[in-house]
Amino acid sequence: MSTIQDKVVVIMGASSGIGEATTKLLAQQGAKLIIAARRLERLEAIKEEYPEGDIHIQQADVTNYEDVKKVVGLAMDTYGRIDVLYNNAGIMPTAPIVEGRREEWQQMLDINVMGVLNGIAAVVPIMAIQKSGHIIATDSVAGHVVYPDSAIYCGTKFAVRAIMEGLRQEQRENNIKSTIISPGAVATELYQTINDKNVSEDLHKAQKEWGLVADDIASAVVFAIDTPGRMAVSDMIVRPTTQPM
Ligand code: NDP
């Protein structure tokens, strides 16, 4: 029997792609959802699709700790507990290092790394008191291997993998699960965060041709959430079958 029903799940970066697909799959299974991102109109559209669902929306930029605390506060005020935090927000403005796109590097560090840390900082004290909880982050194959023109993105995803493993070790005795889901190529809007138009369009084409769909990753996230208390999925790599790297 599914354990998803009535679980309180907070999703950061829920307005499109993997976060949106996960929100919908969890809503269909009766989870209580608090979903956040910067594009409020996209969150509103998702909520409208599930009039019977238990979905609360909150505009938030994960780089802003006050915003993240507001999302967590909404979950606590509404339900008095948080079972799962899914840190999914991320961007991927890839380019060769020689181009020196320092602003993009800073944004990637702020969103992909500090965004995850902001979520962790906001919920770990709550979950430690609860003596239960589950923190999930969307990592990447790029958190396991490095490839050209993606060094900084890979760096952020390697960092998330290290942080989530440290979290696991430190918080296991509080019964807090730590999971990273590491997708290969998935057809989402992520290509739009690449500022070089040619690179962006090539990636979009490739992802549509042989990438996974966001629902595939959502099913992996739901699998990790729907595990018995004794069982924690630490890292799940989910690639398109034909992906070489
Ligand atoms: P999308 O671009 O469709 O989704 C990204 C999500 O992150 C959106 O909901 C976006 O919402 C949110 N987001 C970005 N910046 C912020 C911010 N500052 N504050 C709050 N939310 C933010 O792409 P994906 O679904 O593909 O990406 C989801 C995750 O999956 C990312 O972490 C990405 O690195 C990872 N990933 C994706 C792969 C792929 O091939 N697609 C492969 C491996 C990993 P909004 O803009 O409304 O704020």
Side-chain angles (χ1 to χ4, degrees):
M1 212 179 75
S2 164
T3 65
I4 301 293
Q5 174 88 34
D6 292 337
K7 272 203 172 137
V8 178
V9 183
V10 175
I11 304 183
M12 311 300 299
S15 58
S16 63
I18 294 166
E20 177 181 5
T22 305
T23 299
K24 291 179 175 177
L25 197 52
L26 287 169
Q28 287 157 17
Q29 299 188 23
K32 299 181 182 310
L33 291 153
I34 294 83
I35 60 171
R38 294 167 303 182
R39 288 172 295 176
L40 191 57
E41 70 288 354
R42 299 285 287 261
L43 299 176
E44 282 165 351
I46 295 168
K47 181 175 160 65
E48 273 165 28
E49 256 187 69
Y50 294 90
E52 308 294 311
D54 227 333
I55 303 181
H56 301 260
I57 61 176
Q58 175 71 48
Q59 188 169 35
D61 183 330
V62 294
T63 66
N64 181 336
Y65 190 45
E66 293 308 313
D67 281 8
V68 174
K69 283 197 289 189
K70 243 185 234 165
V71 178
V72 169
L74 175 62
M76 291 304 285
D77 290 346
T78 312
Y79 299 113
R81 68 171 205 281
I82 296 174
D83 297 312
V84 181
L85 168 67
Y86 181 21
N87 279 318
N88 170 67
I91 57 169
M92 191 184 68
T94 49
I97 291 173
V98 69
E99 291 182 12
R101 296 173 180 246
R102 294 181 60 261
E103 269 180 32
E104 292 180 0
W105 299 348
Q106 189 67 58
Q107 279 172 354
M108 260 190 286
L109 289 165
D110 288 346
I111 295 173
N112 298 8
V113 181
M114 273 315 295
V116 169
L117 286 170
N118 285 338
I120 290 173
V123 300
V124 166
I126 293 167
M127 290 180 175
I129 292 169
Q130 292 177 172
K131 291 270 180 241
S132 77
H134 190 175
I135 300 176
I136 304 174
T138 312
D139 204 73
S140 177
V141 167
H144 296 73
V145 294
V146 180
Y147 41 91
D149 302 345
S150 291
I152 292 81
Y153 180 72
C154 292
T156 65
K157 295 298 186 180
F158 268 67
V160 168
R161 181 155 67 94
I163 290 161
M164 293 296 287
E165 170 57 13
L167 174 71
R168 185 191 73 74
Q169 293 174 16
E170 289 183 28
Q171 288 299 322
R172 68 198 159 78
E173 285 183 351
N174 281 329
N175 210 22
I176 298 176
K177 299 182 186 185
S178 161
T179 298
I180 55 171
I181 307 290
S182 300
V186 188
T188 65
E189 296 176 17
L190 196 65
Y191 74 95
Q192 292 176 4
T193 65
I194 301 176
N195 291 318
D196 182 318
K197 283 286 156 265
N198 290 333
V199 176
S200 168
E201 274 158 26
D202 285 351
L203 179 79
H204 184 41
K205 199 163 156 265
Q207 288 187 333
K208 276 203 303 192
E209 263 169 31
W210 57 268
L212 296 174
V213 294
D215 286 343
D216 297 328
I217 306 304
S219 70
V221 177
V222 170
F223 173 83
I225 295 175
D226 192 16
T227 45
R230 65 178 179 275
M231 171 180 166
V233 176
S234 302
D235 185 359
M236 210 190 309
I237 300 180
V238 186
R239 291 184 177 90
T241 307
T242 57
Q243 178 167 320
M245 187 78 91

